[in-house]
């Protein structure tokens, strides 16, 4: 199945009842799949008039307690930023998918990973986080969607899946979970009609009283602390005894893995650390991966964005080198392999 | 062997991989071959990706001047009528679904002149999500015929599960393929299988896998 289609099918199986989106390459197959399947699955598909409209429809749908999702690619996600901030400020669960392409501006339609800053640091104004998942295969996209809906509901926060054009367009076999029949109960907060039987539930991000807003934000950050403690995830590949650890996520991790496998076979002591959650960043896991490391090589399809989290997480104890391609250019395993050789001096 | 081969099918059914194999096989038999990237919907994983391979193997590639650029518009910037008229074999790799085949309708009249020498093959993969049921596969086939204003002449069974494909994967697809062909009233023109698999099926077509992500290519 194509990555984009798998994301859509997984969402339907997770009980996603509302999808609002606006087509953009390289994400369009997701919307197209939803257009074909959502109605048959008893849900709502609506092509909004803009990305901003779509995200606000998600805000509305999520307020009623149903599982809602939107998807786009980089320029469209910038447009959604305001709505995401409002959702975070209203403690609303939702899933947002970014199938990244080259930027800035309209950029290119080829794959990129240059929205890492946006996703993990600045997808909208205000004190808040969204959880960010980084799958690296079509199967992991399916698993990420399942996790995203569950965690969004559990912590009442938006969760973003940060994919890229390559993952969205590529074809791989997948296994789907059985459709969800039982969904979390949201009746204690959802605005789904009080029938004169209870008080109004109010979904709101505006606070007239500053200390009240501060208290609200502090409460939210308590939840974020829980997320940071409990929800990090990463893959450590051949990190035992690795003197060089390559750090990469998503499609660039697939590229890096090929290079690491070849280098290891030649006796070079190299491993791969691949975060599966970008926020929260797997701090404990990267330090475990780098316990024998003398150097880190960060590989991204950007000018270097995750590299700052790598440095922070390792508290700059280990020198971090960088190899990246950008603008929609994909690094090749051969290029990464050359970098590995350069940094390790080849096999000992 | 017909002079013109038109290849259609569902998104991701493996049209491009089949077309690339066909072109390279014909070129290896000293045929003059032109392959047309007629994909107006897919931004990547398309025929034009193999530009260098075609140049090396002596296959002429015709693709939109915008293929693999960021100009994401459904443009055709080559002269298909001239290519059909010229001697040599012409392979037209059409985009996925009816959406991808719309552009072909514009050439239906011109290509009608070569009807006797034209085959139009519908590529199927029973493991693809929206065409798992034979009825869905047949509906899509008719939708493609409607927009392209042309009729298919055969079915190619390209059922596979990517790199997880085994001989059993192919064997299990045969019943589906035969059923689709029978219902469509068309011959099952062939069943493809990766050339390293030991598969025994009627009209088997061994293929190499060219369409794959960068990390699966030899390092």
């Amino acid at each position: 199945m194509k990555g984009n289609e798998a994301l859509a099918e997984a969402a339907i199986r997770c009980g996603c009842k509302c999808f609002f989106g606006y087509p953009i390459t390289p994400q369009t197959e997701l919307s197209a799949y939803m257009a074909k399947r959502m109605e048959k699955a008893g849900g709502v598909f609506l092509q909004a008039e803009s990305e901003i409209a779509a995200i606000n429809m998600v805000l509305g749908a999520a307020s009623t307690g149903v599982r809602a999702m939107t998807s786009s690619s980089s320029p469209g996600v910038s447009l959604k930023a305001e709505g995401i901030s409002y959702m975070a400020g209203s403690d609303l669960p939702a899933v947002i998918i970014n199938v990244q392409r080259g930027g800035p501006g309209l950029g290119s339609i080829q794959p990129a990973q240059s929205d890492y800053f946006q996703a993990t640091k600045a997808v909208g104004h205000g004190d808040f986080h969204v959880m960010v998942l980084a799958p690296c295969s079509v199967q992991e996209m399916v698993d990420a969607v399942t996790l995203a809906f569950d965690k969004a509901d559990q912590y009442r926060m938006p969760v973003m899946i940060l994919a890229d054009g390559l993952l969205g367009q590529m074809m791989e076999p997948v296994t789907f979970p059985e459709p969800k029949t039982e969904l979390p109960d949201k009746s204690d907060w959802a605005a789904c009609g009080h029938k004169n039987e209870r008080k109004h539930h109010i979904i709101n991000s505006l606070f007239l009283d500053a200390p009240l807003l501060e208290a609200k934000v502090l409460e939210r950050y308590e939840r974020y602390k829980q997320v940071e403690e409990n929800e990090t995830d990463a893959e450590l590949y051949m990190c035992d005894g690795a003197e060089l650890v390559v750090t990469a996520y998503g499609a660039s991790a697939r590229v890096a893995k090929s290079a690491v496998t070849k280098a290891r076979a030649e006796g070079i002591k190299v491993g791969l650390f691949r975060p599966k959650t970008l926020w929260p960043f797997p701090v404990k896991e990267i330090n475990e991966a780098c316990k024998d490391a003398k150097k880190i090589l960060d590989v991204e399809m950007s000018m270097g964005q995750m590299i700052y989290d790598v440095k922070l997480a390792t508290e700059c104890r280990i020198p971090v080198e960088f190899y990246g391609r950008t603008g929609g250019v994909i690094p090749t395993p051969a290029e990464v392999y050359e970098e590995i050789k350069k940094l390790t001096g080849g096999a000992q | 062997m017909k002079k013109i081969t038109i290849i259609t099918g569902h998104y991701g059914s493996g049209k491009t991989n089949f077309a690339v194999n066909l072109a390279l096989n014909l070129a290896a038999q000293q045929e003059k071959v032109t392959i047309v990237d007629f994909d107006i919907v897919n931004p990547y994983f398309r025929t034009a990706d193999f530009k260098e391979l075609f140049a090396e193997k002596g296959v002429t590639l015709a693709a939109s001047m915008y293929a693999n650029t960021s100009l994401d518009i459904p443009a055709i910037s080559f002269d298909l009528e001239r290519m059909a008229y010229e001697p040599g074999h012409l392979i037209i790799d059409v985009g996925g679904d009816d959406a991808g085949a719309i552009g072909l309708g514009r050439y239906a009249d011109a290509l009608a002149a070569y009807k006797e020498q034209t085959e139009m093959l519908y590529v199927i993969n029973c493991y693809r999500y929206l065409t798992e049921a034979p009825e869905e596969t047949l509906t899509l086939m008719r939708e493609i015929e409607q927009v392209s204003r042309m009729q298919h002449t055969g079915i190619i069974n390209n059922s596979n599960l990517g790199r997880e494909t085994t001989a059993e994967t192919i064997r299990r697809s045969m019943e589906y393929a035969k059923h689709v062909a029978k219902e469509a009233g068309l011959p099952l023109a062939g069943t493809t299988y990766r050339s390293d698999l030991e598969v025994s099926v009627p009209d088997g077509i061994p293929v190499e896998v060219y369409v794959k992500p960068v990390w699966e290519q030899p390092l």
Side-chain angles (χ1 to χ4, degrees):
Chain A
M1 205 167 187
K2 226 176 183 180
N4 284 333
E5 299 165 337
L7 288 164
E9 177 62 27
I12 291 172
R13 285 175 184 241
C14 284
C16 176
K17 277 281 166 272
C18 294
F19 176 87
F20 307 110
Y22 186 82
I24 179 170
T25 307
Q27 165 276 159
T28 302
E29 294 85 359
L30 202 169
S31 299
Y33 191 95
M34 284 294 194
K36 268 204 170 123
R37 283 283 154 141
M38 199 45 144
E39 206 184 336
K40 286 180 198 155
V44 173
F45 162 85
L46 200 145
Q47 182 174 323
E49 68 270 31
S50 73
E51 285 88 347
I52 300 171
I55 193 75
N56 283 296
M57 290 173 186
V58 170
L59 188 154
S63 301
T64 70
V66 303
R67 286 191 157 181
M69 181 169 106
T70 185
S71 68
S72 192
S73 178
S74 309
V77 175
S78 291
L79 286 166
K80 291 182 196 292
E82 181 193 66
I84 297 171
S85 167
Y86 277 62
M87 276 196 286
S90 311
D91 295 313
L92 289 174
V95 176
I96 299 130
I97 291 173
N98 182 358
V99 183
Q100 296 173 88
R101 59 188 244 182
L106 271 179
S108 76
I109 62 168
Q110 275 77 27
Q113 295 179 320
S114 40
D115 302 347
Y116 182 93
F117 284 157
Q118 183 194 50
T120 61
K121 312 274 186 271
V123 61
H125 60 280
D127 270 327
F128 76 97
H129 289 290
V130 299
M131 198 172 159
V132 184
L133 307 179
C136 83
S137 66
V138 179
Q139 184 63 53
E140 271 193 20
M141 303 254 253
V142 172
D143 303 341
V145 169
T146 311
L147 188 69
F149 275 108
D150 287 347
K151 294 302 162 189
D153 283 342
Q154 183 183 341
Y155 295 104
R156 283 186 64 184
M157 66 190 292
V159 178
M160 178 179 282
I161 294 175
L162 195 63
D164 61 67
L166 194 48
L167 295 174
Q169 295 290 329
M170 67 185 272
M171 192 82 69
E172 278 181 330
V174 282
T175 311
F176 283 100
E178 284 304 307
K180 277 235 163 81
T181 45
E182 270 186 52
L183 294 176
D185 176 30
K186 301 175 188 174
S187 59
D188 58 332
W189 62 262
C192 49
H194 56 68
K195 302 185 181 80
N196 283 330
E197 284 164 9
R198 59 159 170 80
K199 279 192 170 172
H200 287 90
H201 288 158
I202 296 167
I203 309 289
N204 174 40
S205 70
L206 172 68
F207 292 84
L208 300 181
D209 180 29
L212 195 63
L213 175 57
E214 186 190 42
K216 191 80 198 159
V217 172
L218 288 175
E219 182 275 316
R220 202 168 286 136
Y221 269 71
E222 283 301 313
R223 253 182 293 149
Y224 293 159
K225 212 154 77 187
Q226 296 287 313
V227 179
E228 286 181 296
E229 276 166 20
N230 301 322
E231 306 301 344
T232 57
D233 195 8
E235 179 193 358
L236 278 64
Y237 177 70
M238 294 182 164
C239 285
D240 278 341
E243 290 175 7
L244 174 70
V245 170
V246 180
T247 55
Y249 72 97
S252 57
R254 295 287 289 268
V255 172
K257 200 174 201 174
S258 293
V260 166
T261 307
K262 180 176 158 83
R264 264 285 179 180
E266 289 170 3
I268 300 175
K269 289 174 182 160
V270 58
L272 171 72
F273 170 75
R274 175 175 74 86
K276 293 160 87 170
T277 54
L278 301 179
W279 196 91
F281 193 79
V283 176
K284 199 171 72 222
E285 292 87 340
I286 192 173
N287 283 296
E288 165 68 20
C290 293
K291 62 182 189 303
D292 304 314
K294 298 194 174 75
K295 262 183 205 162
I296 293 173
L297 169 64
D298 181 58
V299 176
E300 299 180 47
M301 297 188 312
S302 78
M303 289 304 287
Q305 301 195 3
M306 184 174 79
I307 188 169
Y308 294 98
D309 279 338
V310 169
K311 285 180 179 173
L312 264 180
T314 55
E315 293 174 338
C316 296
R317 279 179 289 104
I318 309 160
V320 185
E321 304 288 334
F322 177 73
Y323 183 74
R325 301 296 303 265
T326 194
V329 181
I330 304 160
T332 66
E335 287 166 14
V336 178
Y337 172 73
E338 281 310 312
E339 289 298 309
I340 291 171
K341 273 212 316 206
K342 216 160 67 188
L343 291 173
T344 55
Q348 281 88 36
Chain B
M1 188 83 219
K2 303 277 186 184
K3 177 184 156 54
I4 301 173
T5 306
I6 302 170
I7 298 163
T8 73
H10 179 42
Y11 287 118
S13 55
K15 299 176 295 299
T16 295
N17 200 63
F18 177 67
V20 173
N21 272 278
L22 188 61
L24 295 178
N25 287 346
L26 287 170
Q29 295 161 31
Q30 311 302 320
E31 293 267 349
K32 177 178 160 7
V33 184
T34 301
I35 188 163
V36 179
D37 180 340
F38 207 92
D39 199 328
I40 53 169
V41 284
N42 204 21
Y44 355 126
F45 295 116
R46 51 188 296 164
T47 328
D49 293 353
F50 305 97
K51 197 171 160 181
E52 282 151 29
L53 181 65
F54 291 140
E56 186 194 320
K57 304 286 184 190
V59 173
T60 306
L61 169 71
S64 162
M65 62 198 282
Y66 304 121
N68 289 333
T69 74
S70 286
L71 196 54
D72 191 13
I73 56 167
I76 298 293
S77 61
F78 43 80
D79 187 354
L80 195 68
E81 289 169 54
R82 173 183 58 78
M83 287 187 270
Y85 176 77
E86 281 180 350
H89 197 93
L90 183 66
I91 298 167
I92 306 175
D93 182 22
V94 181
D97 285 6
D98 47 338
I102 280 180
L104 193 60
R106 178 245 178 272
Y107 295 99
D109 290 342
L111 292 174
Y114 308 94
K115 199 168 178 214
E116 295 308 311
Q117 299 156 274
T118 300
E119 57 182 351
M120 180 152 144
L121 303 174
Y122 181 57
V123 176
I124 61 172
N125 178 354
C126 67
Y127 302 107
R128 280 287 292 146
Y129 208 76
L130 290 172
T131 54
E132 275 173 323
E135 300 70 45
E136 288 176 305
T137 312
L138 289 162
T139 304
L140 181 62
M141 188 186 92
R142 291 187 192 109
E143 284 168 352
I144 291 172
E145 291 184 347
Q146 217 163 41
V147 297
S148 66
R149 297 190 278 134
M150 297 171 75
Q151 304 296 312
H152 288 98
T153 62
I155 306 279
I156 295 289
N157 177 21
N158 190 52
S159 295
N160 73 87
L161 279 169
R163 64 180 177 279
E164 291 180 17
T165 309
T166 63
E168 177 62 13
T169 311
I170 314 280
R171 201 191 58 74
R172 270 195 292 134
S173 73
M174 289 310 293
E175 198 184 327
Y176 163 90
K178 283 180 196 158
H179 179 73
V180 169
K182 184 167 169 268
E183 290 296 313
L186 294 173
L188 182 58
T191 294
T192 66
Y193 59 93
R194 210 173 62 225
S195 61
D196 61 303
L197 295 174
E198 287 202 17
V199 176
S200 162
V201 287
D203 302 308
I205 307 169
V207 292
E208 303 302 322
V209 179
Y210 294 103
V211 182
K212 55 186 169 189
V214 61
W215 54 79
E216 281 180 28
Q217 283 150 24
L219 208 165

